[in-house]
Amino acid sequence: MLTVYNCIVNEHDLRLVALAALICGISSFSAVNLLHHVGRSANRNRLAWLMIAATSTGFGIWATHFIAMLAFTPGIPNAYNPEFSVLSLAAAVVLTAAGMWVATLRNGLDHHLVGGAILGGGIATMHYVGMAAFEVQGRIEWNLLLVAVSLLAGVALAALALVVVLRRPSLSATLGGAVLLTLAICSLHFIAMAAVSIFPDSSIEISQYTIEPTSQAFAVAAASLVILVLSGTALWIDLRFRRQRIEVDRMHGLANAAVEGLIVCDGSRVISANDSMAKLTGIATATLNGMLLGDLFDERTASDMSGFGEQPRETELRGRDGTGIPVELIARSIDYCGKPHNVIAVRDIRERKKAQQEILRLAHFDPLTGLANRRSFSSRLDMEIAAMGQARKSGHLALLLLDLDRFKEVNDLYGHGAGDAMLQKVAHCVTGILHQGQMVARLGGDEFAIIAPNLTDPLEAGRIADAVLTAMREENRGSVGGGLVSASIGIALYPSDAENQASLISHADTALYRAKTEGKDTYRYFEAAMGAEARDKRVMEHELRQAVARNEFYLVYQPQKEISSGKMLGFEALIRWRHPVRGDVPPTIFIPVAEDSGAIGQIGEWVLTAACEEAARWENPLAVAVNVSAVQLHNPNFSRKVHETLLNSGLAPGRLELEITETALVKDMPRALATLRQVKALGVRVAMDDFGTGYSSLSNLRAFPFDKIKIDGSFIKSVDKNGQVAAIVRAVLGLGRGLGLPVLAEGVETLGELKFLDAEACEIGQGYYIGRPGLIEEFSELTGVDASMVGKDAADQRNRSVLAFAPAPALGLNRA
């Protein structure tokens, strides 16, 4: 080491030695910085960065050598061989490039050590080839031990420098690597210089083609300038890269916070993608970076980036497995790392598409049965009518309206789940018998419609209806409810029955109503006469809804007397309707219409209120009987309504008698029983009306809390002359006595009928022979109310006396 020290101190210009060390340090720092870029670069940029780094490092080694050689003062003439000088520079650059390439090829200790050793070999090669370029007027001898030490020092320190730089990149590692590389270059040079001994020999001549040390100095100055330029460039690039890296990391962090997929594109190439994009495609972020837009989207989308604007564009994204993913793209131009780029937001719209399809399905199809709904039905019917009108072909379009009979009873008896299952089976049955081009739709509730276009014969519509009914009968045999549900079908034809949708539906509905009234479980074609009847029925429905408000109803009262003594017991209140145009409308006509339309509930409440208010004015505490419809009985507020009516009118509950038919009971027996018990708790009496005309009469008498039995008038007619009828009446009277229930016989019209009932100990009678229905003031002697005090309303009713009606059986609210 003393030899090396003496070589540096005694044989070198220390100022130039310091300069050589400075140039070496700058070169080394530049080299390790550029080495980082080589390791981070993609394949297409790797070679460029490698050449820049190798050139800068090679020139630094070369400049260090020759500056140190200029500092060397042997004291005898010397010069430099240009060929060897250039060769030494080339060797430095090439071997440095080879060492850096090996070191950065893979991130492993073995690659780092081998690459560093090659770099050290490059330093040594450059030095000893450079020494070969040194010509001096003397003889040069080498100390091989120091040569070996110089080689070992240079290779070991260079290998260690690359390990430090590449193992864990950081600022301290960069500085440490630069110091170690500087030591590798300087130690190899000065140890190798210490190994040189020069013996002057005037017989040795310097070649005439050598370069003077002064000229060599200019070459070294140029090399130094190259080093400074490259080092400055490397520093600027490094700072710029660091800023870009910080910006990229910041933007990538923001992008990863986004739920949507985001990709940054340089032209058509993806340079950055966020985690949401990787998750959406199933492709790793590292793989996405560098892919072309054409690899992710269709060619039209990839090539038409300029067409992107404020409006989103829908397209398909190709996933890792090649499946198409519906997405929405929004593109913007941004400044990314100092250059214009496009950023594309990729929004997954699979759920939106699914929701849109579901909305579309719900808009056009029934969710329970899967059939077309009313909207689709209306659109299809319009389309078929228009198509037949344009084609002008001879043929028929049939519209079949289908309604389930007694479907509500399935819901009431077995629950809505059974009703839903029934609707689904009906849809299945109907769909199974239709041919291509025919359509079935569910219009709502238990209403269905069938469109059958292009029928050559109108009778084909009947065959379709017959097939539907047959399929339903087969299905119902094993269904919940058994044969309880059947179907009625109405058929209308285009263009023979109607020429537009509204009329066609109206006529099919009219035919459906006719099918229901004529026995159900059948079908009917529309006939012109049905239209007038249906129109009149609809007009009457509307008028009935207005009749209460217009005071068109009034009550008449029919006496009920004790047969044995003739004692007056009470009245049955009977409703009458005097229409301003139609005149007196018989109850046999308007009561069924009121029941079908639902107006019977409002009318029944009016009858109950009017009868109670009238009876409360009587001085004689006679009873008043009021018929109750099934609609009223099954109203959950019926008992409360009765209670309020009694309170408001002041009528004693024991004077009110409610007459219930068996038909009203069987609709929902548990609810009817609960309602009747509530009414009985008020003190109101309940009578079974029309006994014998319904079914399960005996079980009903046992289950329900009745106070009276009313024998239907059809059993009383000619009871004194018909033995079979007489036997039935005797049986009912005996049943009443056994149950302890009084029996009232309706429709007593002759003296013979009255005598028979008296002989059989029937307690109460009602009928034309006992007393015709009339306005209440006609019975003022029985009620104890002065007829002159009844007021203007009573006088008006007297002027409309019902005695003008033709003789007929007494009719109550529920009896047509």
Side-chain angles (χ1 to χ4, degrees), residues 481-499:
L484 187 61
V485 173
S486 58
S488 299
I489 300 176
I491 304 172
L493 300 171
Y494 171 91
S496 56
D497 293 334
E499 294 186 352

Side-chain angles (χ1 to χ4, degrees), residues 514-640:
R514 175 61 62 87
K516 279 187 170 293
T517 57
E518 293 185 0
K520 303 178 181 180
D521 193 25
T522 186
Y523 66 90
R524 291 289 182 269
Y525 282 91
F526 172 76
E527 297 173 5
M530 294 181 185
E533 182 181 327
R535 284 192 296 273
D536 185 63
K537 176 177 177 291
R538 284 194 292 269
V539 171
M540 183 173 287
E541 288 177 359
H542 177 73
E543 292 172 343
L544 281 171
R545 295 184 187 279
Q546 306 296 323
V548 171
R550 294 174 179 174
N551 295 318
E552 294 175 2
F553 291 121
Y554 63 96
L555 296 180
V556 296
Y557 296 83
Q558 186 169 29
Q560 296 177 343
K561 296 182 179 180
E562 190 176 79
I563 292 178
S564 59
S565 64
K567 179 182 177 182
M568 185 69 179
L569 300 178
F571 297 92
E572 179 179 2
L574 305 171
I575 188 169
R576 295 292 184 265
W577 182 23
R578 174 158 290 174
H579 189 273
V581 177
R582 300 174 188 268
D584 293 318
V585 182
T588 51
I589 294 176
F590 75 81
I591 291 296
V593 175
E595 289 177 339
D596 290 341
S597 66
I600 194 69
Q602 179 188 15
I603 296 172
E605 289 185 7
W606 179 86
V607 171
L608 178 65
T609 302
C612 289
E613 289 177 351
E614 176 60 46
R617 291 195 292 266
W618 302 340
E619 292 183 5
N620 294 336
L622 300 173
V624 60
V626 178
N627 287 286
V628 175
S629 69
V631 174
Q632 290 175 275
L633 183 62
H634 295 287
N635 187 327
N637 297 320
F638 177 67
S639 60
R640 181 173 60 83

Side-chain angles (χ1 to χ4, degrees), residues 12-271:
H12 287 75
D13 185 341
L14 293 180
R15 290 172 298 177
L16 291 176
V17 170
L19 179 60
L22 177 62
I23 293 296
C24 183
I26 293 172
S27 173
S28 299
F29 183 77
S30 175
V32 296
N33 259 321
L34 292 172
L35 191 60
H36 288 309
H37 290 283
V38 175
R40 287 191 294 253
S41 299
N43 291 334
R44 67 192 184 108
N45 294 325
R46 184 182 181 85
L47 183 60
W49 280 110
L50 184 64
M51 294 312 298
I52 294 173
T55 301
S56 174
T57 307
F59 269 79
I61 297 169
W62 189 80
T64 300
H65 172 79
F66 280 101
I67 292 174
M69 288 302 294
L70 289 174
F72 178 58
T73 54
I76 55 178
N78 58 86
Y80 296 92
N81 184 290
E83 289 82 3
F84 281 107
S85 295
V86 173
L87 182 59
S88 65
L89 176 60
V93 173
V94 171
L95 290 175
T96 298
M100 289 183 172
W101 180 78
V102 172
T104 57
L105 188 62
R106 194 173 64 187
N107 188 22
L109 181 61
D110 52 347
H111 279 69
H112 298 165
L113 289 174
V114 172
I118 295 174
L119 176 59
I123 298 171
T125 302
M126 182 273 135
H127 177 81
Y128 287 105
V129 173
M131 287 301 296
F134 180 65
E135 295 188 10
V136 64
Q137 196 174 22
R139 186 176 71 255
I140 299 175
E141 294 183 1
W142 294 89
N143 185 334
L144 295 180
L145 178 60
L146 289 178
V147 169
V149 172
S150 70
L151 291 174
L152 180 61
V155 171
L157 289 172
L160 183 59
L162 292 196
V163 170
V164 170
V165 170
L166 298 176
R167 196 66 177 166
R168 287 190 178 86
S170 64
L171 180 59
S172 59
T174 300
L175 293 175
V179 171
L180 288 172
L181 187 58
T182 301
L183 288 176
I185 297 170
C186 291
S187 62
L188 185 144
H189 176 83
F190 288 108
I191 293 173
M193 289 302 294
V196 175
S197 297
I198 301 175
F199 299 95
D201 186 351
S202 58
S203 63
I204 298 175
E205 294 183 1
I206 298 174
S207 173
Q208 60 179 342
Y209 298 108
T210 56
I211 301 174
E212 293 291 330
T214 304
S215 300
Q216 189 76 0
F218 283 107
V220 170
S224 299
L225 180 61
V226 170
I227 294 168
L228 291 174
V229 169
L230 289 176
S231 298
T233 302
L235 180 61
W236 177 77
I237 290 174
D238 186 65
L239 293 175
R240 185 169 178 269
F241 181 82
R242 288 177 183 273
R243 287 197 301 270
Q244 289 180 353
R245 191 75 238 167
I246 292 171
E247 182 180 354
V248 168
D249 290 343
R250 181 177 63 84
M251 293 191 68
H252 196 68
L254 290 173
N256 281 334
V259 177
E260 297 174 342
L262 292 174
I263 53 176
V264 179
C265 301
D266 184 4
S268 62
R269 184 174 295 278
V270 178
I271 63 170

Side-chain angles (χ1 to χ4, degrees), residues 454-529:
N454 304 318
L455 300 181
T456 57
D457 183 358
L459 295 179
E460 290 184 39
R463 286 192 284 270
I464 294 173
D466 200 32
V468 170
L469 295 176
T470 301
M472 288 186 60
R473 292 184 196 114
E474 291 295 326
E475 183 67 33
N476 283 341
R477 288 177 184 175
S479 301
V480 175
L484 187 61
V485 173
S486 58
S488 299
I489 300 176
I491 304 172
L493 300 171
Y494 171 91
S496 56
D497 293 334
E499 294 186 352
N500 58 67
Q501 180 182 134
S503 298
L504 193 64
I505 294 174
S506 176
H507 292 168
D509 189 56
T510 300
L512 172 63
Y513 178 76
R514 175 61 62 87
K516 279 187 170 293
T517 57
E518 293 185 0
K520 303 178 181 180
D521 193 25
T522 186
Y523 66 90
R524 291 289 182 269
Y525 282 91
F526 172 76
E527 297 173 5

Side-chain angles (χ1 to χ4, degrees), residues 676-695:
L676 291 181
R677 285 174 175 170
Q678 292 171 356
V679 170
K680 289 278 291 180
L682 298 174
V684 176
R685 294 180 296 166
V686 180
M688 175 179 280
D689 196 11
D690 299 340
F691 182 81
T693 60
Y695 47 88

